[in-house]
Amino acid sequence: MEETVNYKLKKIKQSFRLMMNGPGAQSMRGKGLDYKLNWGVPVTSLKAMAKEYGKDYDLAIALFKEDIRECKILATMIMPAEKMLPEITDIWMEQNTSQEIAEQLAFNLLQYVDYAPVVAFEWIASDKSLYKITGYQLLARMFMKGMEPDERGINEFLDQVGTALDDESNAVRHAAYNCLMKFCDISPEHEQIARKALAHLDIL
């Protein structure tokens, strides 16, 4: 008989206790990664667990509702990209308060959804730091996969990067700079465009 979502959820949460890494959790708290509950389980262990459970929409939804670091990260790993509707993305982003989860969400899941470019450009223009970070993380992944924005997209991206590199948040500045480097890696022409547009910042 197939295990129910609640049974799987309970089993997963119990397994985190056995995998608990106290020093790891303490180190995360020291770096400002504060969760209601954090077992300090390494991401590599969560990846192994994700392979065991496979893609599971209902379980992913249930996991992300839990205010537990490991549950949210595992949810990003097992949610099928084709079932990750924009409205679910909106809810997950609204419920998220962690940069780590934002990065895992972009890397494990959102780079594979067909509306990724739309939300990425929307988020880098947001006034919320976590949205900006996720947007730049997402664009960086897409640039690495060979996505080339059109002229309008390039102008919008470089305008936003120019602002983000002066952001009060170090994390936003870091995400924007890394994304800019991936943009420059697309081709020598893209690097030249970036150099010209951002010459006043003297960063390239």
Side-chain angles (χ1 to χ4, degrees):
M1 190 175 92
E2 189 175 340
E3 296 175 337
T4 65
V5 170
N6 286 339
Y7 177 81
K8 288 179 184 176
L9 183 60
K10 183 179 178 182
K11 184 178 173 185
I12 287 169
K13 287 162 72 174
Q14 286 175 338
S15 71
F16 290 150
R17 294 178 185 273
L18 302 176
M19 301 161 73
M20 180 181 176
N21 180 344
Q26 184 63 41
S27 173
M28 289 178 203
R29 281 192 291 273
K31 294 173 182 172
L33 295 174
D34 205 9
Y35 299 90
K36 183 176 180 181
L37 192 55
N38 177 3
W39 296 105
V41 178
V43 171
T44 49
S45 299
L46 295 174
K47 282 182 180 177
M49 188 179 290
K51 282 186 179 179
E52 178 188 338
Y53 282 90
K55 298 297 181 182
D56 189 326
Y57 173 87
D58 293 327
L59 183 57
I61 292 292
L63 281 165
F64 204 86
K65 287 179 181 176
E66 298 289 327
D67 197 2
I68 300 171
R69 169 185 172 268
E70 288 76 10
C71 285
K72 290 188 183 297
I73 293 176
L74 189 59
T76 70
M77 294 175 173
I78 68 170
M79 170 63 87
E82 68 276 8
K83 292 187 178 181
M84 187 64 175
L85 301 176
E87 48 265 41
I88 301 173
T89 295
D90 289 341
I91 292 169
W92 283 20
M93 285 297 292
E94 287 168 10
Q95 293 176 344
N96 180 38
T97 58
S98 158
Q99 181 181 338
E100 182 185 24
I101 301 300
E103 292 171 349
Q104 291 291 326
L105 186 57
F107 181 77
N108 297 328
L109 181 58
L110 294 183
Q111 66 165 312
Y112 303 111
V113 302
D114 55 10
Y115 55 86
V118 176
V119 293
F121 275 97
E122 182 183 315
W123 291 344
I124 64 172
S126 170
D127 58 358
K128 299 175 182 175
S129 292
L130 277 180
Y131 280 74
K132 291 178 189 175
I133 292 166
T134 313
Y136 283 118
Q137 293 273 355
L138 199 46
L139 279 176
R141 299 304 306 177
M142 288 186 284
F143 292 155
M144 289 169 69
K145 291 196 291 186
M147 184 198 87
E148 296 185 30
D150 58 21
E151 185 178 356
R152 181 181 172 187
I154 287 174
N155 291 335
E156 183 181 346
F157 169 69
L158 293 174
D159 280 347
Q160 293 297 342
V161 166
T163 302
L165 290 172
D166 196 35
D167 197 276
E168 62 183 19
S169 164
N170 183 55
V172 169
R173 295 196 304 272
H174 185 70
Y177 183 78
N178 282 347
C179 187
L180 177 61
M181 292 300 100
K182 300 304 179 190
F183 175 83
C184 290
D185 286 343
I186 295 174
S187 75
E189 289 75 21
H190 286 79
E191 181 178 354
Q192 193 60 36
I193 292 169
R195 283 183 180 277
K196 186 175 179 181
L198 301 174
H200 61 290
L201 295 177
D202 195 27
I203 56 166
L204 292 171

